[in-house]
Amino acid sequence: MNIEQIYKDANALLEGHFLLASGNHSKRYLQSAKVLEYPKKASLLTDALAKMIKDAGIDVDTVCAPALGGVLAGYELARSLDVRSIFVEKKEGGMELRRGFEITPGEKIIICEDIITTGGSALKAAKAIEALGGEVVAFASLANRGFCKRVGGNTTAKAECALPEDIPLFALDDFTFEMYAPEDCPMCKAGEGQAVKPGSKG
Ligand code: ZN
């Protein structure tokens, strides 16, 4: 399964001149929601992710996603693992479980995202789950931006990674892009127009 090609085919891996949330510029950008546009393709991706989790011997009761970004990936992963799917939502400074979702003490939970950059949202979701007595047994994501180390990956965890080292991260692939400070950006220097901000608002 060529994950990069699947992202390219779905127009989820963009090439251009982008302004990232960090303020840096990049030639490439992952518009993760695009790879989930077609549910049958999405389920092939989460089937592969579920296989990695099962092969590692991880026992899981429930998948929990941080809304909004992780919800579709989390739902499909729960289908692939044949377990329950819930999500947590943003509140001041963290995440919380709403809408009548409940967890039982000791319930084994995987936190699932569509993409892990530094893992900040996933960590907030994990804290919300642990505060309710759930046990976070793994993190999962379709794509890993290369700041955190995934099981079987070649990258090492960078200082920016917010995820705890003692809980495994499963992801289909690493997408490590060159990033430039605006003053060092080769596209800016070459006069390739202004960097655009794709993000979730564009
Ligand atoms: Zn630039």
Side-chain angles (χ1 to χ4, degrees), residues 145-164:
R145 279 283 284 104
F147 294 98
C148 297
K149 180 170 174 48
R150 72 182 173 98
V151 173
N154 296 318
T155 60
T156 51
K158 310 286 188 294
E160 294 94 328
C161 181
L163 299 183

Side-chain angles (χ1 to χ4, degrees), residues 17-19 24-26 180-189 192-195:
H17 183 193
F18 301 108
L19 172 61
N24 291 324
H25 292 190
S26 173
Y180 311 97
E183 60 273 22
D184 298 325
C185 173
M187 288 86 77
C188 283
K189 282 182 182 164
E192 291 177 21
Q194 212 171 1

